[in-house]
Amino acid sequence: MRTSTLTTRPPNVEYDVLRRIEDRVLWLSTAMVHHANRVRPNPSGLKVGGHQASSASLVSIMSTLWFRHLRPQDRVSVKPHASPVLHAINYLLGELDASYLTRLREFGGLESYPSRIKDPDPVDYSTGSVGIGATAPIWGAIARRYVDSTFGGSHGGRQYSLVGDAELDEGAVWEAILDPSVSELGEVVWVVDLNRQSLDRVVPHLAADRLRGMFASAGWQVLTLKYGGLLEELFSQPGGGALRARIDAMPNPEYQRMLRCDAAQLRERLPGDGADAGAIAELITRLDDSALLAAIRNLGGHDLGTLDRAFAAIDDTRPTVIFAYTIKGYGLATEGHPQNHSSLLTTDQMRELAERLGVDPDEPWRRFPDGGDAAILCATVADRLRRQPTSARRPPAVPTDFGRTPSGTSTTQAALGRALLDLTRAAPEAAQRVVTVSPDVSSSTNLGGWVNKVGVWSVTERRNWFADDAETILHWRESPAGQHIELGIAETNLVGLIGELGTTWSRWGEPLFPIGVVYDPFVGRALEPWSYGIYAGGQSILVGTPSGVSLAPEGGAHQSIITPSIGMEQPGCVAYEPAFAIDTEWVLLAGLARLGRPDGSSVYLRLSTRPVDQTLAAVPADPAARERRRRQVVAGAYPLRHAESPKVTIAAMGAVVTEALAAADRLDRMGVPADVVCVTSPDLLYRALRARQGHEQAENWILDQAFPAERAAPLVTVLDGHPHTLAFLSAVHRVPITSLGVTDFGRSGSIEDVYRHHRLDTDSIIQAALDVAG
């Protein structure tokens, strides 16, 4: 009879209790998915889903973190597929009612993935968009530091990311890690759940050494938890070195296959056929079957002592990554199987699991007995982690109008920088809340004057070596007092940061007005993480500039086409494309007033570098009429020119308003009177139309003012973007319509040639008007 030679570790009551909690977390997270799929009625028969195996691989890590190391000021981003583990822990800590445990993925219940807005229990970061939720705590760390340096409050705490190893395939992860500012963020801690499986397979070559080197070269502390205490002790015995070398060299699929073996099969397979096979076989003959099966599974990510020591060893002077080797499905009947990603335990397997973990399957949600060690630890940890309610400061008032009427020729992009400077003079308290972010394009997007005024934010003050250079126009003064944050060129980092800056009102009670400026063609590249930020409650302004084929000489690679409709379709966002500087000022101020409040929203501004004669705006001189115009601009559109008995209406948006007005002049001389409506937000106009049709709640008065029924006429719509953006306007009065816009990639040339090519020029508008008017 074989006997184990592994020594028994000294008893540790705290770990014994933690193991019972770990077992209960495993049970609860598994049972939630089981109930959703096999117990709860499902009349439709559609798959409910859930991830028992992905949850199981993270149970030990999360149990150790929450019950041993987490503090109330810390924040944690949990990998999407481990949401049941988070809910199980919150339940044990009294932060989630038992009724929700049966409502995973049910409408009004627990979301599929952690959601800080939609879930009923504490969730620090929404996840689900792979790679984006993982990087969010990096930007959360910068947002926390910015709030602290600007308004005080000593908001400390680590920012943890619990990352699935497959998430390291995402480019957004490495764009974030490589940004120069990240190496200064010592509060950032990533724990990589290294279970070496993806959705469909065991990853054959994970290249963990290469990954560790990449983090280390970026300035991170790297901790590797490969083996637990049992295996480490076994490695110290005769033949142990050979066993370590054998497991180290073993391909991932072969190791995973070992997990599916019984003890007899394991004794046959584990020694391998190398020169040291005999020494390994001799070593494992001294182990009984249970010890052998336990040893092969004893990876660092499931060893409570190993995890405990790793969390205690974190160096808070630089970011840390912990590579924790784990087993997908650890402790379940499906552990290590290459297709266990979405697999479900059978009812019989659930009963076997309940028996092994000491749970009554007929009362799956029963808490630990009152007065017992586990219940006491849960109560103690709940008290330790309880956060004081956040009292959100009311955002300062934002003016609606600076009272200035621009003249001469200018661009909407230039108007952005000028409006920000005006804000510092007209409303300094509101201006103090503004923080701008750009990916190395400050000067080319007209933020230079603002940057010179407010300075650049950085973790520490840095010397400006060009301060005495008379030819330096952009003064790069870096200190914790600055209000502009310059990142590297990656747009995903920019929108990730403005998303987290936009949550500070709810996290720490300090509202900010974050404005991210990016070249408009790259809004599509930034869209997913920005959408994630909005979903997670971040309120920000994204400025896309320069935009459209109006950036004619730059060529097609820098000319955006689909962004106007992106603005319309993005939930939680109001989109504008102003034509004039005064319109830009008004919508920017209205957008700032939407930020930092429970009922707030994000804003997208699409701006242009095309110079436009500002007198064409015909801003009313009378104060009441001016205010009426401002309200129309902010609501989505305004009548720019009224003809007597119009035969056609030209609805123009953005930079092409010049061509629309010129076309109206010529049409009038031809005996075809034309109204011109300047559209500032197709987004708000479409909402108004849907409200009129009874589909949603929104104000719709703007439709009557911009498109009064008594002036209804055939429509020509024109914009520097895809024509379908404004095509819905025909439904306001059911009139004939023809829509002009950009449907193909652009090319370099003069603005006249490019507009003519895309049929945005005055002649094309006239021809379209004559065709539609009959």
Side-chain angles (χ1 to χ4, degrees):
M1 178 179 178
R2 298 182 180 92
T3 58
S4 171
T5 60
L6 295 180
T7 60
T8 303
R9 290 173 172 265
N12 186 317
V13 175
E14 208 163 8
Y15 281 163
D16 288 344
V17 175
L18 184 56
R19 288 188 186 96
R20 293 207 300 276
I21 290 175
E22 176 191 24
D23 287 346
R24 188 59 58 91
V25 172
L26 175 62
W27 166 258
L28 289 170
S29 58
T30 307
M32 273 188 268
V33 179
H34 176 77
H35 189 279
N37 286 273
R38 300 197 187 276
V39 179
R40 193 170 68 213
N42 182 11
S44 71
L46 295 175
K47 172 187 172 184
V48 176
H51 301 86
Q52 291 174 331
S54 294
S55 293
S57 69
L58 208 55
V59 165
S60 306
I61 293 169
M62 292 180 65
S63 297
T64 306
L65 178 58
W66 257 261
F67 288 88
R68 296 279 293 177
H69 295 273
L70 207 60
R71 301 165 300 172
Q73 65 267 35
D74 298 333
R75 299 291 187 272
V76 187
S77 173
V78 178
K79 76 171 187 177
H81 293 163
S83 63
V85 183
L86 177 61
H87 298 310
I89 290 175
N90 281 338
Y91 169 66
L92 292 178
L93 296 178
E95 297 283 1
L96 181 68
D97 188 80
S99 63
Y100 281 102
L101 301 180
T102 61
R103 303 183 63 196
L104 179 68
R105 299 190 171 210
E106 180 182 81
F107 186 80
L110 298 173
E111 291 294 310
S112 302
Y113 308 125
S115 171
R116 69 182 298 261
I117 301 300
K118 299 178 184 298
D119 275 322
D121 53 332
V123 175
D124 293 330
Y125 288 97
S126 300
T127 54
S129 188
V130 176
I132 304 302
T135 59
I138 289 177
W139 315 123
I142 294 179
R144 180 199 64 76
R145 289 200 183 201
Y146 186 90
V147 167
D148 225 24
S149 63
T150 306
F151 305 107
S154 297
H155 306 284
R158 289 175 178 166
Q159 302 284 328
Y160 290 93
S161 285
L162 308 182
V163 185
D165 52 9
E167 290 191 85
L168 297 183
D169 291 343
E170 292 288 342
V173 166
W174 298 106
E175 288 184 338
I177 290 169
L178 293 177
D179 193 274
S181 63
V182 174
S183 62
E184 298 178 291
L185 303 176
E187 64 268 47
V188 171
V189 179
W190 282 26
V191 183
V192 180
D193 176 14
L194 211 64
N195 62 41
R196 294 170 285 183
Q197 286 188 235
S198 61
L199 192 148
D200 294 320
R201 61 173 182 160
V202 177
V203 179
H205 304 292
L206 191 61
D209 289 339
R210 178 169 56 87
L211 293 173
R212 287 192 288 267
M214 292 167 71
F215 276 95
S217 65
W220 289 51
Q221 176 191 22
V222 180
L223 303 175
T224 301
L225 314 183
K226 190 166 187 179
Y227 301 118
L230 284 175
L231 270 178
E232 290 290 355
E233 187 173 335
L234 194 59
F235 294 154
S236 69
Q237 298 182 18
L243 178 62
R244 181 193 288 271
R246 163 77 170 122
I247 298 177
D248 280 346
M250 195 179 289
N252 293 332
E254 183 182 4
Y255 173 78
Q256 299 284 106
R257 183 63 184 87
M258 297 285 179
L259 301 175
R260 309 294 299 170
C261 293
D262 59 27
Q265 294 170 326
L266 192 56
R267 293 181 191 282
E268 180 182 348
R269 290 173 177 258
L270 184 55
D273 54 8
D276 293 324
I280 297 172
E282 173 61 24
L283 172 62
I284 63 177
T285 59
R286 300 196 293 271
L287 302 179
D288 62 28
D289 288 352
S290 62
L292 177 61
L293 293 173
I296 196 65
R297 289 161 170 75
N298 184 227
L299 299 183
H302 300 301
D303 189 275
L304 300 182
T306 301
L307 287 164
D308 199 21
R309 290 187 292 274
F311 284 123
I314 291 171
D315 176 4
D316 286 323
T317 66
R318 53 181 172 153
T320 296
V321 60
I322 300 173
F323 285 96
Y325 281 73
T326 61
I327 297 170
K328 194 165 184 175
Y330 181 74
L332 305 181
T334 56
E335 68 177 2
H337 194 281
Q339 279 86 52
N340 66 6
H341 183 79
S342 297
S343 65
L344 299 171
L345 268 61
T346 66
T347 300
D348 288 343
Q349 288 171 333
M350 285 295 295
R351 289 195 170 273
E352 292 170 3
L353 180 66
E355 182 178 357
R356 179 161 57 82
L357 299 180
V359 179
D360 182 353
D362 297 322
E363 294 188 69
W365 320 120
R366 180 187 290 178
R367 295 182 183 274
F368 289 114
D370 290 341
D373 290 342
I376 292 173
L377 180 57
C378 288
T380 301
V381 171
D383 287 341
R384 187 186 80 225
L385 295 181
R386 190 162 291 116
R387 297 169 182 164
Q388 295 300 315
T390 299
S391 178
R393 188 188 302 270
R394 186 180 182 86
V398 178
T400 58
D401 188 351
F402 293 135
R404 180 170 48 81
T405 302
S407 58
T409 299
S410 185
T411 72
T412 54
Q413 177 179 285
L416 169 69
R418 193 160 48 243
L420 289 175
L421 289 174
D422 286 343
L423 187 66
T424 64
R425 293 185 285 268
E429 287 188 10
Q432 186 188 27
R433 300 280 166 173
V434 174
V435 52
T436 55
V437 185
S438 67
D440 199 30
V441 292
S442 299
S443 56
S444 59
T445 53
N446 280 94
L447 287 182
W450 164 260
V451 172
N452 286 343
K453 174 77 174 178
V454 302
V456 178
W457 183 87
S458 65
V459 174
T460 58
E461 188 157 355
R462 296 191 177 97
R463 181 173 178 179
N464 179 11
W465 291 96
F466 288 86
D468 59 348
D469 187 335
E471 296 183 8
T472 298
I473 299 175
L474 186 62
H475 301 293
W476 211 252
R477 296 178 289 108
E478 297 180 85
S479 76
Q483 289 182 245
H484 174 77
I485 302 177
E486 189 90 356
L487 298 176
I489 202 65
E491 290 80 11
T492 56
N493 291 350
L494 174 136
V495 294
L497 178 54
I498 62 173
E500 289 304 319
L501 290 166
T503 67
T504 59
W505 66 273
S506 59
R507 289 198 195 279
W508 300 293
E510 292 288 356
L512 294 175
F513 299 157
I515 302 174
V517 182
V518 62
Y519 284 0
D520 195 63
F522 307 138
V523 165
R525 184 185 299 172
L527 183 61
E528 184 198 357
W530 191 50
S531 180
Y532 158 87
I534 295 173
Y535 171 79
Q539 300 167 11
S540 61
I541 296 178
L542 180 61
V543 179
T545 184
S547 65
V549 299
S550 295
L551 192 63
E554 290 285 346
H558 278 67
Q559 297 172 359
S560 55
I561 299 171
I562 65 172
T563 45
S565 58
I566 286 177
M568 290 180 64
E569 295 158 11
Q570 174 60 49
C573 165
V574 176
Y576 289 104
E577 183 169 350
F580 299 103
I582 189 67
D583 299 352
T584 305
E585 173 190 307
W586 286 338
V587 299
L588 174 65
L589 294 174
L592 291 172
R594 293 176 178 271
L595 303 178
R597 36 191 275 194
D599 60 344
S601 70
S602 292
V603 179
Y604 165 49
L605 300 183
R606 189 175 191 251
L607 304 182
S608 174
T609 51
R610 188 200 177 177
V612 172
D613 180 359
Q614 299 302 304
T615 64
L616 295 177
V619 180
D622 182 82
R626 179 187 176 100
E627 172 59 15
R628 183 172 184 265
R629 164 71 70 85
R630 187 198 68 79
R631 291 181 67 247
Q632 292 171 337
V633 167
V634 173
Y638 58 93
L640 185 55
R641 181 173 300 181
H642 272 174
E644 187 174 345
S645 303
K647 293 185 179 180
V648 67
T649 297
I650 303 172
M653 185 169 77
V656 295
V657 70
T658 300
E659 281 66 30
L661 289 169
D665 287 341
R666 288 171 55 185
L667 285 166
D668 187 60
R669 292 195 294 270
M670 296 165 60
V672 184
D675 279 354
V676 177
V677 176
C678 184
V679 174
T680 55
S681 176
D683 178 16
L684 292 177
L685 294 183
Y686 187 62
R687 295 188 204 185
L689 179 62
R690 284 178 53 79
R692 177 176 287 183
Q693 295 169 340
H695 298 309
E696 62 180 85
Q697 294 293 319
E699 294 183 343
N700 58 49
W701 58 267
I702 188 60
L703 297 178
D704 295 326
Q705 293 194 10
F707 301 96
E710 66 273 14
R711 303 187 67 82
L715 266 171
V716 176
T717 64
V718 57
L719 75 154
D720 185 357
H722 199 281
H724 88 271
T725 306
L726 297 178
F728 71 91
L729 289 175
S730 65
V732 175
H733 295 302
R734 299 184 180 180
V735 296
I737 188 172
T738 185
S739 296
L740 303 179
V742 181
T743 59
D744 198 4
F745 291 112
R747 58 189 306 169
S748 299
S750 69
I751 198 166
E752 294 79 12
D753 289 339
V754 169
Y755 272 21
R756 189 178 305 111
H757 172 74
H758 292 286
R759 299 204 51 174
L760 303 178
D761 60 306
T762 301
D763 286 351
S764 295
I765 296 172
I766 291 171
Q767 292 168 13
L770 294 174
D771 288 344
V772 76

